[in-house]
Coordinates of all heavy atoms in Angstrom, one line a residue:
M3 N -32.9 -12.2 32.4 CA -32.4 -11.0 31.7 C -33.0 -11.0 30.3 O -33.1 -12.0 29.6 CB -30.9 -11.2 31.7 CG -30.3 -10.1 30.8 SD -28.5 -10.1 30.7 CE -28.1 -9.2 32.2
N4 N -33.3 -9.8 29.9 CA -33.8 -9.6 28.5 C -32.7 -9.2 27.6 O -31.8 -8.4 27.9 CB -34.9 -8.5 28.6 CG -36.1 -8.8 29.4 OD1 -36.3 -10.0 29.8 ND2 -36.8 -7.9 29.8
Y5 N -32.8 -9.7 26.4 CA -31.8 -9.4 25.3 C -32.4 -9.8 24.0 O -33.5 -10.5 23.9 CB -30.5 -10.0 25.6 CG -30.5 -11.6 25.7 CD1 -30.4 -12.4 24.6 CD2 -30.6 -12.2 27.0 CE1 -30.4 -13.8 24.7 CE2 -30.7 -13.5 27.1 CZ -30.6 -14.3 25.9 OH -30.6 -15.7 26.1
Y6 N -31.7 -9.5 22.9 CA -32.1 -9.8 21.6 C -31.1 -10.8 21.0 O -29.9 -10.7 21.4 CB -32.2 -8.6 20.7 CG -33.2 -7.6 21.1 CD1 -32.9 -6.6 22.1 CD2 -34.5 -7.6 20.5 CE1 -33.9 -5.7 22.5 CE2 -35.4 -6.7 20.9 CZ -35.1 -5.8 21.9 OH -36.1 -4.9 22.3
I7 N -31.5 -11.6 20.1 CA -30.5 -12.4 19.3 C -30.8 -12.2 17.8 O -32.0 -12.1 17.4 CB -30.5 -13.9 19.7 CG1 -31.9 -14.6 19.5 CG2 -30.0 -14.2 21.1 CD1 -31.9 -16.1 19.6
V8 N -29.8 -12.1 17.1 CA -29.8 -12.0 15.6 C -29.4 -13.4 15.1 O -28.3 -13.8 15.4 CB -28.9 -10.9 15.1 CG1 -29.1 -10.8 13.6 CG2 -29.3 -9.6 15.8
V9 N -30.3 -14.0 14.3 CA -30.0 -15.3 13.8 C -29.7 -15.3 12.3 O -30.3 -14.5 11.6 CB -31.3 -16.2 14.1 CG1 -31.1 -17.6 13.5 CG2 -31.5 -16.3 15.6
F10 N -28.8 -16.1 11.8 CA -28.4 -16.1 10.4 C -28.7 -17.3 9.7 O -28.9 -18.4 10.3 CB -26.9 -15.8 10.4 CG -26.5 -14.6 11.2 CD1 -26.1 -14.6 12.5 CD2 -26.6 -13.3 10.6 CE1 -25.8 -13.5 13.2 CE2 -26.3 -12.2 11.3 CZ -25.9 -12.3 12.6
K11 N -28.7 -17.2 8.4 CA -28.9 -18.4 7.5 C -27.8 -19.4 7.6 O -28.0 -20.6 7.4 CB -29.1 -18.0 6.1 CG -30.4 -17.2 5.8 CD -30.5 -16.8 4.3 CE -29.4 -15.8 4.0 NZ -29.4 -15.2 2.7
N12 N -26.6 -18.9 7.7 CA -25.4 -19.8 7.7 C -24.3 -19.1 8.5 O -24.3 -17.9 8.9 CB -25.0 -20.1 6.3 CG -24.8 -18.8 5.4 OD1 -24.0 -17.9 5.9 ND2 -25.4 -18.7 4.3
T13 N -23.2 -19.9 8.7 CA -22.1 -19.4 9.5 C -21.3 -18.2 8.8 O -20.9 -17.3 9.5 CB -21.1 -20.6 9.7 OG1 -21.8 -21.6 10.4 CG2 -20.0 -20.2 10.7
Y14 N -21.3 -18.3 7.5 CA -20.6 -17.2 6.8 C -21.3 -15.8 7.1 O -20.6 -14.9 7.4 CB -20.6 -17.4 5.2 CG -20.1 -16.3 4.5 CD1 -18.7 -16.1 4.4 CD2 -20.9 -15.4 3.8 CE1 -18.1 -15.0 3.7 CE2 -20.3 -14.3 3.1 CZ -19.0 -14.1 3.0 OH -18.5 -13.1 2.4
D15 N -22.6 -15.8 7.0 CA -23.3 -14.5 7.3 C -23.1 -14.1 8.8 O -22.9 -12.9 9.0 CB -24.8 -14.7 7.1 CG -25.2 -14.8 5.6 OD1 -24.4 -14.4 4.8 OD2 -26.4 -15.1 5.3
A16 N -23.0 -15.1 9.7 CA -22.7 -14.7 11.1 C -21.3 -14.1 11.2 O -21.1 -13.2 12.0 CB -22.9 -16.0 12.0
M17 N -20.3 -14.7 10.5 CA -19.0 -14.2 10.6 C -18.9 -12.8 10.0 O -18.2 -11.9 10.5 CB -18.0 -15.1 9.9 CG -17.9 -16.4 10.6 SD -17.0 -17.7 9.7 CE -15.4 -16.9 9.4
V18 N -19.6 -12.5 8.9 CA -19.6 -11.2 8.3 C -20.3 -10.2 9.2 O -19.8 -9.1 9.4 CB -20.3 -11.2 6.9 CG1 -20.6 -9.8 6.4 CG2 -19.5 -12.0 5.9
A19 N -21.3 -10.6 9.9 CA -22.0 -9.7 10.8 C -21.1 -9.4 12.0 O -21.0 -8.2 12.4 CB -23.3 -10.4 11.3
E20 N -20.4 -10.4 12.5 CA -19.4 -10.1 13.6 C -18.4 -9.0 13.2 O -18.1 -8.1 13.9 CB -18.7 -11.4 14.0 CG -17.7 -11.2 15.1 CD -17.0 -12.5 15.5 OE1 -17.0 -13.5 14.8 OE2 -16.4 -12.4 16.6
K21 N -17.9 -9.2 12.0 CA -16.9 -8.2 11.5 C -17.5 -6.8 11.4 O -16.9 -5.8 11.9 CB -16.3 -8.6 10.2 CG -15.3 -7.7 9.6 CD -14.8 -8.2 8.3 CE -13.8 -7.2 7.7 NZ -13.4 -7.5 6.3
K22 N -18.7 -6.7 10.8 CA -19.3 -5.4 10.7 C -19.7 -4.8 12.0 O -19.5 -3.5 12.2 CB -20.6 -5.5 9.9 CG -20.4 -5.7 8.4 CD -21.8 -5.8 7.7 CE -21.6 -6.0 6.2 NZ -22.9 -6.1 5.5
L23 N -20.2 -5.6 12.9 CA -20.5 -5.0 14.2 C -19.3 -4.5 15.0 O -19.4 -3.5 15.7 CB -21.3 -6.1 15.1 CG -22.7 -6.4 14.5 CD1 -23.3 -7.5 15.3 CD2 -23.6 -5.2 14.5
K24 N -18.2 -5.2 14.8 CA -16.9 -4.7 15.5 C -16.5 -3.4 14.9 O -16.1 -2.5 15.6 CB -15.8 -5.8 15.3 CG -15.9 -6.9 16.2 CD -14.8 -7.9 16.0 CE -14.9 -9.1 17.0 NZ -13.8 -10.1 16.7
E25 N -16.6 -3.3 13.5 CA -16.2 -2.1 12.8 C -17.0 -0.9 13.3 O -16.5 0.3 13.3 CB -16.4 -2.2 11.3 CG -15.4 -3.2 10.7 CD -15.6 -3.5 9.3 OE1 -16.7 -3.0 8.7 OE2 -14.8 -4.2 8.6
I26 N -18.3 -1.1 13.6 CA -19.1 0.1 14.0 C -19.3 0.2 15.6 O -20.1 0.9 16.1 CB -20.5 0.1 13.3 CG1 -21.2 -1.2 13.6 CG2 -20.3 0.3 11.8 CD1 -22.6 -1.2 12.9
N27 N -18.5 -0.6 16.2 CA -18.4 -0.5 17.7 C -19.6 -0.8 18.5 O -20.0 -0.2 19.5 CB -17.8 0.8 18.2 CG -16.4 1.1 17.7 OD1 -15.6 0.2 17.8 ND2 -16.1 2.3 17.2
F28 N -20.4 -1.8 18.0 CA -21.6 -2.3 18.7 C -21.1 -3.2 19.8 O -20.1 -3.8 19.8 CB -22.4 -3.2 17.7 CG -23.5 -2.4 17.0 CD1 -23.3 -1.2 16.5 CD2 -24.8 -2.9 16.9 CE1 -24.3 -0.5 15.8 CE2 -25.8 -2.3 16.2 CZ -25.6 -1.1 15.7
N29 N -22.0 -3.1 20.9 CA -21.7 -4.0 22.0 C -22.5 -5.3 21.8 O -23.8 -5.2 21.8 CB -22.2 -3.3 23.3 CG -21.9 -4.1 24.6 OD1 -21.0 -4.9 24.6 ND2 -22.6 -3.7 25.6
F30 N -21.9 -6.4 21.6 CA -22.5 -7.6 21.3 C -21.7 -8.8 21.8 O -20.5 -8.7 22.1 CB -22.8 -7.8 19.8 CG -21.5 -8.0 19.0 CD1 -21.1 -9.2 18.6 CD2 -20.7 -6.9 18.6 CE1 -19.9 -9.4 17.9 CE2 -19.6 -7.1 17.9 CZ -19.2 -8.3 17.5
K31 N -22.3 -10.0 21.8 CA -21.6 -11.3 22.1 C -22.0 -12.3 21.0 O -23.2 -12.3 20.6 CB -22.0 -11.8 23.5 CG -21.6 -10.9 24.6 CD -22.0 -11.4 25.9 CE -21.6 -10.4 27.0 NZ -22.2 -10.8 28.3
I32 N -21.1 -13.2 20.7 CA -21.4 -14.3 19.9 C -21.8 -15.4 20.8 O -21.2 -15.7 21.9 CB -20.2 -14.8 19.1 CG1 -19.8 -13.6 18.1 CG2 -20.5 -16.0 18.3 CD1 -20.8 -13.3 17.1
M33 N -22.9 -16.2 20.5 CA -23.4 -17.3 21.3 C -24.0 -18.4 20.5 O -24.3 -18.1 19.3 CB -24.4 -16.8 22.4 CG -25.7 -16.2 21.8 SD -26.9 -15.8 23.1 CE -27.9 -17.2 23.2
P34 N -24.1 -19.6 21.0 CA -24.8 -20.6 20.3 C -26.2 -20.3 20.0 O -26.9 -19.7 20.9 CB -24.6 -21.8 21.1 CG -23.6 -21.5 22.2 CD -23.6 -20.0 22.3
T35 N -26.7 -20.6 18.8 CA -28.1 -20.3 18.5 C -29.0 -21.4 19.3 O -28.7 -22.6 19.2 CB -28.4 -20.4 17.0 OG1 -27.6 -19.5 16.4 CG2 -29.9 -20.2 16.7
P36 N -30.0 -20.9 20.1 CA -30.8 -21.9 20.8 C -31.6 -22.8 19.8 O -32.1 -22.3 18.8 CB -31.8 -21.0 21.5 CG -31.2 -19.7 21.6 CD -30.3 -19.6 20.4
T37 N -31.6 -24.1 20.0 CA -32.2 -25.0 19.0 C -33.7 -24.8 19.1 O -34.4 -25.2 18.1 CB -31.9 -26.5 19.4 OG1 -32.2 -26.7 20.7 CG2 -30.4 -26.7 19.1
S38 N -34.3 -24.2 20.1 CA -35.7 -23.9 20.1 C -36.1 -22.8 19.1 O -37.2 -22.7 18.7 CB -36.1 -23.5 21.5 OG -35.5 -22.3 21.9
V39 N -35.1 -22.0 18.7 CA -35.3 -20.9 17.7 C -35.2 -21.4 16.3 O -36.0 -21.3 15.5 CB -34.4 -19.7 18.0 CG1 -34.5 -18.7 16.9 CG2 -34.7 -19.1 19.4
T40 N -34.0 -22.0 16.0 CA -33.8 -22.5 14.7 C -32.6 -23.4 14.7 O -31.8 -23.4 15.6 CB -33.5 -21.3 13.7 OG1 -33.4 -21.9 12.4 CG2 -32.3 -20.6 14.0
M41 N -32.4 -24.2 13.6 CA -31.3 -25.1 13.5 C -30.5 -24.7 12.2 O -29.6 -25.5 11.8 CB -31.7 -26.5 13.5 CG -32.4 -27.0 14.8 SD -32.9 -28.7 14.8 CE -31.3 -29.5 15.0
S42 N -30.7 -23.6 11.7 CA -30.1 -23.2 10.4 C -28.6 -22.8 10.6 O -27.8 -23.1 9.8 CB -30.8 -22.1 9.7 OG -30.9 -21.0 10.5
C43 N -28.3 -22.1 11.6 CA -26.9 -21.7 11.9 C -26.6 -21.9 13.3 O -27.4 -21.5 14.2 CB -26.7 -20.2 11.4 SG -25.0 -19.6 11.8
G44 N -25.5 -22.4 13.7 CA -25.1 -22.7 15.0 C -24.7 -21.6 15.9 O -24.7 -21.7 17.1
I45 N -24.5 -20.4 15.3 CA -24.1 -19.2 16.1 C -25.0 -18.0 15.8 O -25.5 -17.9 14.7 CB -22.6 -18.8 16.0 CG1 -22.3 -18.6 14.5 CG2 -21.7 -19.9 16.5 CD1 -20.9 -18.1 14.3
C46 N -25.2 -17.2 16.8 CA -26.0 -16.0 16.6 C -25.3 -14.9 17.4 O -24.3 -15.1 18.1 CB -27.4 -16.2 17.1 SG -27.6 -16.5 18.9
V47 N -25.9 -13.7 17.2 CA -25.3 -12.5 17.9 C -26.3 -12.1 19.0 O -27.5 -12.0 18.7 CB -25.1 -11.3 16.9 CG1 -24.8 -10.0 17.6 CG2 -24.0 -11.7 15.9
R48 N -25.8 -11.9 20.2 CA -26.6 -11.4 21.3 C -26.4 -9.9 21.5 O -25.2 -9.5 21.6 CB -26.3 -12.2 22.5 CG -27.0 -11.7 23.8 CD -26.6 -12.5 25.0 NE -27.0 -11.8 26.2 CZ -27.1 -12.4 27.4 NH1 -26.8 -13.7 27.4 NH2 -27.5 -11.8 28.4
I49 N -27.5 -9.1 21.5 CA -27.4 -7.7 21.7 C -28.3 -7.3 22.8 O -29.5 -7.7 22.8 CB -27.7 -6.9 20.4 CG1 -26.7 -7.3 19.3 CG2 -27.8 -5.4 20.6 CD1 -26.9 -6.7 18.0
E50 N -27.9 -6.5 23.7 CA -28.7 -6.1 24.9 C -29.5 -4.9 24.6 O -30.6 -4.8 25.2 CB -27.8 -5.9 26.1 CG -26.7 -6.9 26.3 CD -27.2 -8.0 27.3 OE1 -28.0 -7.7 28.2 OE2 -26.7 -9.1 27.2
E51 N -29.1 -4.0 23.8 CA -29.7 -2.7 23.6 C -30.7 -2.6 22.5 O -30.3 -2.9 21.3 CB -28.6 -1.6 23.5 CG -27.7 -1.5 24.7 CD -26.5 -0.6 24.5 OE1 -26.7 0.4 23.7 OE2 -25.4 -0.9 25.0
K52 N -31.9 -2.2 22.7 CA -32.9 -2.1 21.7 C -32.5 -1.1 20.6 O -32.8 -1.3 19.4 CB -34.3 -1.7 22.3 CG -35.4 -1.6 21.3 CD -36.7 -1.3 21.9 CE -37.9 -1.3 20.9 NZ -37.6 -0.9 19.6
E53 N -31.8 0.0 21.0 CA -31.4 1.0 20.0 C -30.6 0.4 19.0 O -30.6 0.8 17.8 CB -30.7 2.2 20.7 CG -31.6 3.0 21.7 CD -31.8 2.3 23.0 OE1 -30.9 1.4 23.4 OE2 -32.7 2.6 23.7
Q54 N -29.7 -0.5 19.3 CA -28.8 -1.2 18.4 C -29.6 -2.1 17.4 O -29.3 -2.1 16.2 CB -27.7 -2.0 19.1 CG -26.6 -1.0 19.7 CD -25.5 -1.8 20.4 OE1 -25.7 -2.9 20.8 NE2 -24.4 -1.1 20.5
I55 N -30.6 -2.8 18.0 CA -31.4 -3.6 17.1 C -32.2 -2.7 16.1 O -32.3 -3.1 14.9 CB -32.4 -4.4 18.0 CG1 -31.6 -5.5 18.8 CG2 -33.5 -5.1 17.2 CD1 -31.0 -6.6 17.9
D56 N -32.7 -1.6 16.6 CA -33.4 -0.7 15.7 C -32.5 -0.2 14.6 O -33.0 -0.1 13.5 CB -34.0 0.5 16.5 CG -35.1 0.1 17.5 OD1 -35.7 -1.0 17.3 OD2 -35.4 0.8 18.4
L57 N -31.3 0.1 14.9 CA -30.3 0.5 13.9 C -30.1 -0.6 12.8 O -30.1 -0.3 11.6 CB -29.0 0.9 14.5 CG -29.0 2.3 15.1 CD1 -27.6 2.5 15.8 CD2 -29.1 3.4 14.0
I58 N -30.0 -1.8 13.3 CA -29.7 -3.0 12.4 C -30.9 -3.1 11.4 O -30.7 -3.3 10.2 CB -29.5 -4.3 13.2 CG1 -28.1 -4.2 13.9 CG2 -29.6 -5.5 12.3 CD1 -27.9 -5.3 14.9
I59 N -32.1 -3.0 12.0 CA -33.3 -3.2 11.2 C -33.5 -2.0 10.2 O -33.7 -2.2 9.0 CB -34.6 -3.3 12.1 CG1 -34.5 -4.7 12.9 CG2 -35.9 -3.3 11.3 CD1 -35.5 -4.8 14.0
S60 N -33.4 -0.8 10.7 CA -33.7 0.4 9.9 C -32.7 0.7 8.8 O -33.0 1.2 7.8 CB -34.0 1.6 10.7 OG -32.9 1.9 11.5
N61 N -31.4 0.3 9.1 CA -30.4 0.6 8.2 C -29.8 -0.5 7.4 O -28.8 -0.4 6.7 CB -29.2 1.3 9.0 CG -29.6 2.6 9.6 OD1 -30.3 3.4 8.9 ND2 -29.1 2.9 10.7
N62 N -30.5 -1.7 7.6 CA -30.0 -2.9 6.8 C -28.5 -3.1 7.0 O -27.8 -3.4 6.0 CB -30.3 -2.8 5.3 CG -31.7 -3.3 5.0 OD1 -32.3 -4.1 5.8 ND2 -32.2 -2.9 3.9
I63 N -28.1 -3.1 8.2 CA -26.6 -3.2 8.5 C -26.1 -4.7 8.2 O -25.1 -4.9 7.8 CB -26.3 -2.8 9.9 CG1 -26.6 -1.3 10.1 CG2 -24.9 -3.2 10.3 CD1 -26.5 -0.8 11.5
L64 N -27.0 -5.6 8.5 CA -26.6 -7.1 8.5 C -27.6 -7.9 7.6 O -28.8 -7.5 7.5 CB -26.7 -7.7 9.9 CG -25.9 -7.0 11.0 CD1 -26.1 -7.7 12.3 CD2 -24.4 -7.0 10.6
E65 N -27.1 -9.0 7.1 CA -27.9 -10.0 6.4 C -28.2 -11.0 7.5 O -27.4 -11.7 8.0 CB -27.1 -10.7 5.3 CG -26.9 -9.9 4.1 CD -28.1 -9.8 3.2 OE1 -28.8 -10.8 3.1 OE2 -28.3 -8.8 2.6
Y66 N -29.5 -11.0 7.9 CA -29.9 -11.9 8.9 C -31.1 -12.7 8.6 O -31.8 -12.3 7.6 CB -30.1 -11.2 10.3 CG -31.2 -10.1 10.2 CD1 -32.5 -10.4 10.4 CD2 -30.8 -8.8 9.9 CE1 -33.5 -9.4 10.3 CE2 -31.8 -7.8 9.8 CZ -33.1 -8.1 10.0 OH -34.0 -7.1 10.0
K67 N -31.4 -13.8 9.3 CA -32.6 -14.6 9.0 C -33.8 -14.0 9.8 O -34.8 -13.7 9.3 CB -32.3 -16.0 9.4 CG -33.5 -16.9 9.1 CD -33.1 -18.4 9.4 CE -34.3 -19.3 9.1 NZ -34.0 -20.7 9.4
N68 N -33.6 -13.9 11.1 CA -34.6 -13.4 12.1 C -33.9 -12.7 13.3 O -32.8 -13.0 13.6 CB -35.5 -14.6 12.6 CG -36.3 -15.2 11.6 OD1 -36.8 -14.6 10.7 ND2 -36.4 -16.6 11.6
I69 N -34.7 -11.9 13.9 CA -34.3 -11.3 15.2 C -35.4 -11.7 16.3 O -36.6 -11.6 16.0 CB -34.2 -9.8 15.1 CG1 -33.1 -9.4 14.1 CG2 -33.9 -9.2 16.5 CD1 -32.9 -8.0 13.8
Y70 N -34.9 -12.1 17.4 CA -35.8 -12.5 18.5 C -35.5 -11.7 19.8 O -34.3 -11.3 20.0 CB -35.6 -14.0 18.8 CG -36.0 -14.9 17.8 CD1 -35.1 -15.3 16.7 CD2 -37.2 -15.5 17.7 CE1 -35.4 -16.2 15.7 CE2 -37.6 -16.3 16.7 CZ -36.7 -16.7 15.7 OH -37.1 -17.5 14.7
F71 N -36.5 -11.5 20.5 CA -36.4 -10.9 21.9 C -36.5 -12.0 22.9 O -37.4 -12.8 22.8 CB -37.4 -9.8 22.1 CG -37.4 -9.2 23.5 CD1 -36.4 -8.4 23.8 CD2 -38.4 -9.5 24.4 CE1 -36.3 -7.8 25.1 CE2 -38.4 -8.9 25.7 CZ -37.3 -8.1 26.0
R72 N -35.6 -12.0 23.9 CA -35.6 -13.0 24.9 C -36.1 -12.4 26.2 O -35.5 -11.4 26.7 CB -34.2 -13.6 25.1 CG -34.1 -14.5 26.3 CD -34.7 -15.8 26.1 NE -34.2 -16.8 27.1 CZ -35.0 -17.5 27.9 NH1 -36.3 -17.3 27.9 NH2 -34.5 -18.3 28.8
D73 N -37.2 -13.0 26.7 CA -37.6 -12.5 28.1 C -37.9 -13.8 28.9 O -37.5 -14.9 28.5 CB -38.9 -11.6 27.9 CG -40.1 -12.4 27.4 OD1 -40.1 -13.6 27.2 OD2 -41.1 -11.7 27.2
N74 N -38.6 -13.6 30.0 CA -38.8 -14.7 30.9 C -39.7 -15.8 30.3 O -39.7 -16.9 30.8 CB -39.5 -14.2 32.2 CG -38.5 -13.3 33.0 OD1 -37.3 -13.3 32.8 ND2 -39.1 -12.5 33.8
Q75 N -40.4 -15.5 29.3 CA -41.4 -16.4 28.6 C -40.6 -17.2 27.6 O -41.2 -18.2 27.1 CB -42.5 -15.7 28.0 CG -43.3 -14.8 29.0 CD -44.0 -15.6 30.1 OE1 -44.5 -16.6 29.8 NE2 -43.9 -15.1 31.3
G76 N -39.5 -16.8 27.1 CA -38.8 -17.4 26.0 C -38.4 -16.5 24.9 O -38.3 -15.3 25.1
Y77 N -38.3 -17.0 23.7 CA -37.9 -16.2 22.5 C -39.2 -15.7 21.7 O -40.0 -16.6 21.4 CB -37.0 -16.9 21.6 CG -35.7 -17.2 22.3 CD1 -35.4 -18.4 22.9 CD2 -34.7 -16.2 22.2 CE1 -34.2 -18.6 23.5 CE2 -33.5 -16.4 22.8 CZ -33.2 -17.6 23.5 OH -32.0 -17.8 24.1
I78 N -39.3 -14.4 21.4 CA -40.4 -13.9 20.7 C -39.8 -13.3 19.4 O -38.9 -12.5 19.4 CB -41.1 -12.8 21.5 CG1 -41.5 -13.3 22.8 CG2 -42.2 -12.1 20.7 CD1 -41.9 -12.3 23.9
L79 N -40.4 -13.7 18.3 CA -39.9 -13.1 17.0 C -40.2 -11.7 16.9 O -41.3 -11.2 17.1 CB -40.6 -13.9 15.8 CG -40.2 -13.5 14.4 CD1 -38.8 -13.8 14.1 CD2 -41.1 -14.2 13.4
V80 N -39.2 -10.9 16.5 CA -39.3 -9.4 16.4 C -39.3 -9.0 14.9 O -40.1 -8.2 14.5 CB -38.2 -8.7 17.1 CG1 -38.2 -7.2 16.9 CG2 -38.2 -9.0 18.6
E81 N -38.4 -9.6 14.2 CA -38.2 -9.2 12.8 C -37.8 -10.3 11.9 O -37.0 -11.1 12.3 CB -37.1 -8.1 12.7 CG -36.7 -7.6 11.4 CD -37.8 -6.7 10.7 OE1 -38.6 -6.2 11.4 OE2 -37.7 -6.6 9.5
R82 N -38.4 -10.4 10.7 CA -38.0 -11.4 9.7 C -37.3 -10.7 8.6 O -37.6 -9.7 8.1 CB -39.2 -12.0 9.2 CG -39.3 -13.4 9.6 CD -40.5 -14.1 9.1 NE -40.8 -15.0 10.3 CZ -41.5 -16.0 10.2 NH1 -42.1 -16.3 9.1 NH2 -41.7 -16.7 11.2

């Protein structure tokens, strides 16, 4: 299955992001951050829809470290 993950510098940023995404009715899940991606924050946000990722990037909705796309090959860096 293909999806995106939004990775954060710390747990506080992840918690703020969760609150903001709930307020704007985004469809997302909280999940453990894969250690193959980073070890900076233990939780990340999983988002299935590219349109929502595009909104996050273009509108600076969240403070994030990186955004990755997950496909059959693994995690691919999308945005820093």
Side-chain angles (χ1 to χ4, degrees):
M3 174 179 273
N4 298 342
Y5 57 87
Y6 296 86
I7 60 169
V8 181
V9 177
F10 304 94
K11 293 180 290 185
N12 54 52
T13 304
Y14 176 78
D15 287 349
M17 292 171 58
V18 169
E20 179 181 14
K21 182 180 177 190
K22 284 183 181 179
L23 293 174
K24 282 181 181 177
E25 288 172 356
I26 57 177
N27 295 318
F28 267 43
N29 185 20
F30 70 96
K31 294 178 183 173
I32 299 295
M33 65 177 263
T35 303
T37 54
S38 62
V39 171
T40 186
M41 296 181 73
S42 60
C43 179
I45 57 175
C46 66
V47 171
R48 174 180 169 163
I49 297 178
E50 311 267 331
E51 299 172 32
K52 183 179 184 327
E53 294 80 21
Q54 289 183 333
I55 290 296
D56 291 341
L57 281 173
I58 289 170
I59 294 169
S60 63
N61 294 324
N62 272 339
I63 294 173
L64 306 176
E65 286 282 326
Y66 58 86
K67 181 177 180 180
N68 295 320
I69 297 176
Y70 295 88
F71 177 69
R72 169 76 163 124
D73 66 6
N74 295 339
Q75 305 297 317
Y77 292 95
I78 302 163
L79 181 64
V80 174
E81 177 71 20
R82 248 179 218 199

